[in-house]
Amino acid sequence: MAVSSLNKTLLLLVLLLATFTTLAQAQGNRGRGRSGTRVGFYRATCPRVESIVQSAVQSAVQSNPTIAPGLLRMFFHDCFVNGCDASLLIDGPSTEKAAGPNSLLRGFDVIDAAKTQLESTCPGVVSCADILALAARDSVVLTGGRSWQVPLGRRDGLISQGSDTANLPAFNDPITLQIQKFADKGLNTQDLVTLVGGHTIGTSACAFFSYRLYNFNNTNGPDPDINPSFLPQLRALCPNGGNAFRRVDLDTGSVGSFGNSFYENLRNGRGVIESDAKLWSDRRTRRFVQGFLGRGRSGSRFNTEFGRAMVKLGNTEVKTGRQVPTLFALCWIIKKYKCSKRSEKNEMVHVDEHLKVRENVVQGPNGMKAVAISIDDDIHVDEEDESRKEEKLGKYHN
């Protein structure tokens, strides 16, 4: 079998930035436009996509139940930063993935496993953004929640900047700021209360709420929103000066079970993190919490509303059609998950030791800006595989 060495530059992508400008100015769109996603998007091109993702998630959750809330949180964090475009999955020292709010996320290997299987079954078809949307839904179902139909057709994003994570909802955000952050994404107050209900299967590190237990707002006492009977339990889990990374359930008494008991705990002063507790103490959000209280119809309503809110969140500033190409074409050429991307600058990004990706801003048609992405490669491949590799490159347009 003969071996040859390639030393050439492949021009992979040239895209117009008329709509790409909208991505960079995400504050303008707020995700209110038509999403372009639809149920059954891959019915003809990859009919097994949902079962393949479900299998990957199920296997991971059975091995490690904490993966379920991890994937749900990952989807939320991805969508809240420049839309649901899988930019959170991009590696690099200055990307969203490396930013503080995402430092404790888990489940990346699950997305990788699903993508590997999908590339084997229907190469170059399914975006990582859609995999993440399906994985979030499957995580809810596997922990006892109700399923919903997930509209698909997202494309993977091209920009991942850690600084953009500053707009993610934080553990100590007051209600007014929480409402504003959700409104900025086209989500209303009911959506806020509903989606925070995902904390029913979530946990938090002591570092993010222990300040409420000992010297809240420099009072030398606990946060008055905490039920006094609940305080000893939290202090035992998170002693003053103890392990800041210890994980504590956000829905006490309902470990790994998706349901509306989270709201019962809020009403009873058993909210763990401050932003959750404020949902009950503030009248603007309390009425929605009250609507999810109780069993029977209320529990069913929460499950229904959660699916609806997740679809709405999943259509936040999505990139579809010809708006942007998929960045993961670059990752999957070499079957590795070491991709990094910054912004519209001339800079070199190492994908691995043999492959370099260069991006340049150039003048496109009609005076509009365009981005040219090229690969400088110096890799050895089998000659009989070259045609197969070129064929695969041509498929990475979804």
Side-chain angles (χ1 to χ4, degrees):
M1 186 182 302
V3 176
S4 65
S5 177
L6 301 179
N7 286 285
K8 58 184 179 181
T9 298
L10 303 175
L11 184 62
L12 287 183
L13 309 168
V14 176
L15 59 134
L16 298 179
L17 288 185
T19 53
F20 190 70
T21 301
T22 305
L23 180 146
Q25 299 173 341
Q27 296 293 326
N29 276 343
R30 310 300 188 198
R32 294 193 179 95
R34 294 176 60 187
S35 70
T37 60
R38 69 177 186 273
V39 174
F41 182 84
Y42 297 109
R43 186 172 291 119
T45 56
C46 193
R48 293 183 53 218
V49 57
E50 296 203 27
S51 63
I52 289 173
V53 175
Q54 182 185 53
S55 178
V57 175
Q58 185 173 21
S59 177
V61 172
Q62 287 176 345
S63 299
N64 181 1
T66 65
I67 292 297
L71 289 171
L72 184 58
R73 184 169 177 240
M74 188 187 301
F75 177 69
F76 183 87
H77 280 213
D78 181 55
C79 290
F80 243 83
V81 178
N82 295 326
C84 310
D85 63 355
S87 55
L88 177 55
L89 305 181
I90 300 173
D91 288 326
S94 301
T95 62
E96 297 168 40
K97 187 176 181 179
N102 296 325
S103 60
L104 299 179
L105 285 179
R106 62 190 69 190
F108 292 103
D109 55 337
V110 182
I111 306 302
D112 290 345
K115 182 65 173 174
T116 299
Q117 182 61 40
L118 286 166
E119 286 302 303
S120 175
T121 305
C122 37
V125 173
V126 181
S127 69
C128 290
D130 281 341
I131 295 173
L132 189 49
L134 290 170
R137 187 271 310 273
D138 295 338
S139 296
V140 170
V141 175
L142 287 169
T143 51
R146 183 180 301 171
S147 184
W148 64 89
Q149 290 187 311
V150 180
L152 302 172
R154 301 165 187 82
R155 292 201 176 189
D156 296 332
L158 199 62
I159 290 179
S160 186
Q161 296 179 336
S163 58
D164 291 338
T165 63
N167 292 323
L168 280 168
F171 61 89
N172 57 351
D173 279 348
I175 290 297
T176 297
L177 184 55
Q178 291 186 59
I179 291 174
Q180 184 58 56
K181 286 182 176 181
F182 275 73
D184 287 345
K185 299 299 175 183
L187 302 167
N188 58 36
T189 304
Q190 181 175 345
D191 298 325
L192 159 64
V193 176
T194 303
L195 290 169
V196 171
H199 285 172
T200 182
I201 58 172
T203 63
S204 174
C206 291
F208 298 120
F209 66 87
S210 59
Y211 68 92
R212 302 182 65 210
L213 310 180
Y214 302 99
N215 186 26
F216 182 69
N217 289 342
N218 296 317
T219 61
N220 291 318
D223 185 341
D225 283 342
I226 300 176
N227 189 321
S229 66
F230 186 45
L231 188 61
Q233 181 178 343
L234 290 179
R235 283 179 168 173
L237 292 168
C238 302
N240 200 9
N243 182 3
F245 297 101
R246 180 172 184 174
R247 309 296 299 185
V248 175
D249 296 323
L250 294 177
D251 188 4
T252 307
S254 181
V255 180
S257 178
F258 195 93
N260 66 335
S261 57
F262 170 76
Y263 300 104
E264 298 281 354
N265 277 321
L266 295 186
R267 179 182 62 179
N268 296 330
R270 298 169 72 87
V272 175
I273 59 176
E274 185 179 359
S275 58
D276 286 357
K278 296 299 183 187
L279 296 179
W280 178 255
S281 61
D282 192 289
R283 61 179 179 80
R284 290 171 291 179
T285 49
R286 183 190 302 141
R287 66 188 184 97
F288 295 111
V289 174
Q290 290 172 326
F292 292 142
L293 292 173
R295 299 182 179 180
R297 181 178 299 178
S298 295
S300 177
R301 183 187 176 205
F302 167 62
N303 270 279
T304 300
E305 286 299 310
F306 190 82
R308 178 200 60 79
M310 285 289 283
V311 170
K312 191 173 179 181
L313 171 67
N315 283 330
T316 300
E317 302 173 41
V318 297
K319 297 147 187 70
T320 59
R322 296 185 178 180
Q323 190 173 0
V324 293
T326 171
L327 175 61
F328 281 81
L330 304 181
C331 299
W332 286 89
I333 290 171
I334 57 172
K335 296 292 184 182
K336 290 190 178 181
Y337 315 102
K338 297 180 181 177
C339 238
S340 9
K341 172 70 187 63
R342 290 296 301 278
S343 56
E344 301 138 40
K345 300 176 181 178
N346 292 339
E347 64 181 308
M348 190 68 68
V349 182
H350 291 271
V351 178
D352 75 351
E353 64 271 20
H354 300 299
L355 190 62
K356 296 179 180 179
V357 180
R358 183 183 298 277
E359 176 181 314
N360 295 284
V361 177
V362 299
Q363 197 72 14
N366 301 320
M368 293 183 290
K369 289 183 179 180
V371 174
I373 298 179
S374 60
I375 289 181
D376 295 322
D377 65 26
D378 186 10
I379 57 178
H380 294 276
V381 298
D382 296 333
E383 286 184 342
E384 65 181 30
D385 289 339
E386 289 183 23
S387 60
R388 203 159 55 238
K389 181 172 124 180
E390 291 174 359
E391 178 183 355
K392 183 171 286 189
L393 280 172
K395 293 181 180 178
Y396 286 108
H397 61 276
N398 290 291

